[in-house]
């Protein structure tokens, strides 16, 4: 064999191994997502993050928890905008702001720390709290006799937190 044949053979083997590893990682992600309440949501979150390709189960959980944080930040930004455009909703929006600050500054860090320290039970609790808090925000508008402008965002938060919680449960 001359050098060009060896090079071609090496590249073919390298391509095959890379493809095999990528398919294996994808299969791991798919199998993980099958154990969650929202397979498609789980897949979309994990496949959008390049870190998922090399992540173990804890890493996948951390990626979804990061999505919870990102959704919380977006919801807080929306709450701030709504306070200006819909001042009649200020009381309910302020309560929702408190709820989402708790998600971002208490529940998410608690979950991340518990996962990093190898104690996923507390992480599961943090995501369970997150779902309750998003429901609390939604209920706040009803208690004020108002229609929530955050229904979709609250539901999204609940769904993402439930995906994170399901993955964390796999670690127990």
């Amino acid at each position: 064999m001359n050098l060009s044949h060896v090079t071609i053979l090496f590249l073919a083997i390298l391509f095959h191994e890379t493809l095999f590893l990528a398919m294996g990682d994808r299969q791991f992600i798919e199998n993980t997502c099958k154990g969650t309440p929202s397979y498609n949501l789980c897949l979309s979150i994990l496949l959008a993050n390049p870190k998922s390709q090399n992540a173990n189960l804890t890493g996948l959980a951390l990626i979804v928890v990061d999505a919870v944080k990102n959704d919380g930040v977006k919801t807080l930004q929306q709450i701030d905008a709504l306070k200006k455009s819909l001042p009649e909703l200020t009381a309910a929006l302020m309560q929702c702001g408190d709820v989402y600050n708790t998600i971002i500054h208490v529940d998410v860090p608690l979950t991340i720390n518990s996962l990093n320290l190898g104690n996923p039970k507390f992480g599961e609790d943090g995501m369970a709290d997150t779902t309750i808090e998003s429901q609390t925000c939604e209920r706040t508008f009803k208690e004020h006799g108002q229609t929530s402008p955050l229904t979709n965002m609250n539901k999204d938060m609940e769904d993402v937190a439930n995906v994170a919680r399901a993955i964390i449960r796999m670690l127990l």
Side-chain angles (χ1 to χ4, degrees), residues 26 29-30 32-34 36 38-52 60 63-64 67 70-71 156 159-160 163 167:
R26 170 78 184 225
I29 291 168
E30 288 177 0
T32 300
C33 289
K34 286 177 185 173
T36 70
S38 181
Y39 176 80
N40 290 331
L41 176 61
C42 178
L43 266 186
S44 70
I45 292 168
L46 293 177
L47 294 178
N49 189 320
K51 292 179 184 176
S52 68
L60 296 181
I63 290 168
V64 181
N70 292 338
D71 283 358
D156 291 346
D159 292 344
V160 175
V163 168
I167 294 172

Side-chain angles (χ1 to χ4, degrees), residues 34-166:
K34 286 177 185 173
T36 70
S38 181
Y39 176 80
N40 290 331
L41 176 61
C42 178
L43 266 186
S44 70
I45 292 168
L46 293 177
L47 294 178
N49 189 320
K51 292 179 184 176
S52 68
Q53 293 176 2
N54 299 316
N56 60 15
L57 194 56
T58 300
L60 296 181
L62 287 166
I63 290 168
V64 181
V65 170
D66 192 50
V68 167
K69 180 180 179 181
N70 292 338
D71 283 358
V73 169
K74 289 176 191 170
T75 303
L76 270 178
Q77 291 168 343
Q78 181 66 16
I79 288 168
D80 287 341
L82 288 169
K83 284 180 194 173
K84 295 173 186 149
S85 64
L86 299 170
E88 66 275 14
L89 300 180
T90 298
L93 289 168
M94 287 180 67
Q95 287 180 296
C96 285
D98 290 343
V99 163
Y100 276 90
N101 271 311
T102 300
I103 290 170
I104 293 168
H105 299 293
V106 178
D107 296 326
V108 167
L110 169 77
T111 301
I112 290 169
N113 289 337
S114 71
L115 290 171
N116 285 332
L117 294 172
N119 191 352
K121 178 60 183 145
F122 290 114
E124 182 192 11
D125 292 345
M127 290 298 97
D129 288 346
T130 297
T131 61
I132 292 167
E133 287 157 353
S134 66
Q135 294 165 356
T136 299
C137 172
E138 192 62 27
R139 246 188 340 271
T140 298
F141 290 96
K142 290 180 180 71
E143 290 168 1
H144 285 87
Q146 299 167 323
T147 302
S148 171
L150 298 172
T151 299
N152 291 338
M153 295 182 103
N154 286 326
K155 180 67 175 131
D156 291 346
M157 176 59 77
E158 184 179 348
D159 292 344
V160 175
N162 280 329
V163 168
R165 187 176 181 198

